[in-house]
């Protein structure tokens, strides 16, 4: 259900960094938002060094944007952002000052997976059972 | 007006898949949201195989995110997601279980095209006429 | 705090175009949204020519999506979109008809930077002072 996009300048992250960070994001998301880990997607968008700017200068931030369904308690989304940001620094060594985590959300019924409209938060169990997973 | 971003691991889609899927998304969007096809943008973000994870393992999903203007009937956005997801499987052969379609929306007046603020849903005709298209 | 993503077909923009456009977006955002330029991120996603479609045909648009915190006056977000779109054409020479600028927003407390939850619009000064910048 969720999609996390991690954007960096190329060669900022090693292959191990990516695999480990994907694992941490998946674990954190699954715990806080009560979604089986099999539904958590994490992608890395690694761009040329002349394609990433902060303060109008080439830079090496780690920008993580996540999409979640509307209806989770807002404090849990804040906790998700805080824990994902901490994991990003812990895994990659990139200082917190260069790590930005942002969540966007939209209604569950604006999304389809496995051919079916996503369940609202709190209704995952019935939805997953019906999928036969 | 709309932007569709299709994210996959590299070599998941052929050139033909991309052209055909762009065509189907454009047709579906144009019909359901009453926007001339000339305004529909579809992009493909094809990432290295070590940059796409599901359940913390390298994976080959097809993740489609779309942006639309606020104010369309919600049921039509659900229908849009359902039809785009079905087209994605039909065109690419990727099973529905690996296809996720998500819409996000924001106010039409948060967007500019052709130098002009976008019209709210329902006001496209006057806006397009004024563009001289 | 903000993230701007500029998507084009490869070789649409020169290195100079990118640096100059990043500078203009940073200046405009900083002025209108009262955010120090050090917090403005601009990235360029340059895709193969068979990965960008408008009206179901390969195309060369400049698609700029920006994320901002909820709570800015809506008219200022409209002004931001208008000025960023004008700068894009001025810097790159791409006609306004092929430039689309879209803002999305979510609550400031859905985002973390420097290890801290972002401030709501209007509360930047105290947040920045506490950061020791």
């Amino acid at each position: 259900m969720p999609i996390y996009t991690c954007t960096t300048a190329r060669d900022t992250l090693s292959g191990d960094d990516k695999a480990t960070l994907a694992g941490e994001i998946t674990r954190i998301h699954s715990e806080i938002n009560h979604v089986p880990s099999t539904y958590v997607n994490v992608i890395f968008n690694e761009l040329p060094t002349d394609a990433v700017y902060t303060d109008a200068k080439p830079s090496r931030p780690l920008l993580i944007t996540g999409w979640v369904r509307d209806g989770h308690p807002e404090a849990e989304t804040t906790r998700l952002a805080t824990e994902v940001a901490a994991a990003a620094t812990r895994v990659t060594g990139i200082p917190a000052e260069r790590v930005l985590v942002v969540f966007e959300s939209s209604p569950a019924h604006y999304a389809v997976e496995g051919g079916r409209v996503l369940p609202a938060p709190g209704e995952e169990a019935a939805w997953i059972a019906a999928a036969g997973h």
Side-chain angles (χ1 to χ4, degrees), chain A:
Chain A
M1 304 181 197
I3 305 175
Y4 284 84
T5 303
C6 307
T7 301
T8 60
R10 203 171 280 166
D11 301 324
T12 299
L13 304 178
S14 69
D16 272 2
D17 285 343
K18 285 184 274 187
T20 306
L21 182 54
E24 282 293 278
I25 290 174
T26 300
R27 181 186 61 75
I28 292 166
H29 188 94
S30 187
E31 284 177 17
I32 295 181
N33 268 20
H34 313 293
V35 167
S37 61
T38 46
Y39 289 100
V40 182
N41 302 287
V42 181
I43 65 169
F44 293 87
N45 207 14
E46 301 171 285
L47 302 171
T49 50
D50 74 339
V52 182
Y53 295 83
T54 306
D55 197 14
K57 291 184 279 282
S59 63
R60 290 196 167 272
L62 171 52
L63 309 172
I64 303 178
T65 56
W67 176 81
V68 296
R69 294 164 289 146
D70 281 351
H72 294 286
E74 298 214 344
E76 296 203 357
T77 302
T78 299
R79 193 175 138 221
L80 203 51
T82 304
E83 294 203 9
V84 166
T89 290
R90 192 167 65 237
V91 167
T92 66
I94 297 175
E97 283 63 35
R98 280 163 45 206
V99 174
L100 172 57
V101 177
V102 169
F103 282 94
E104 298 188 88
S105 70
S106 54
H109 58 272
Y110 278 19
V112 165
E113 185 165 6
R116 297 183 304 143
V117 177
L118 289 189
E123 300 177 2
E124 292 87 352
W127 188 89
I128 290 166
H133 283 288

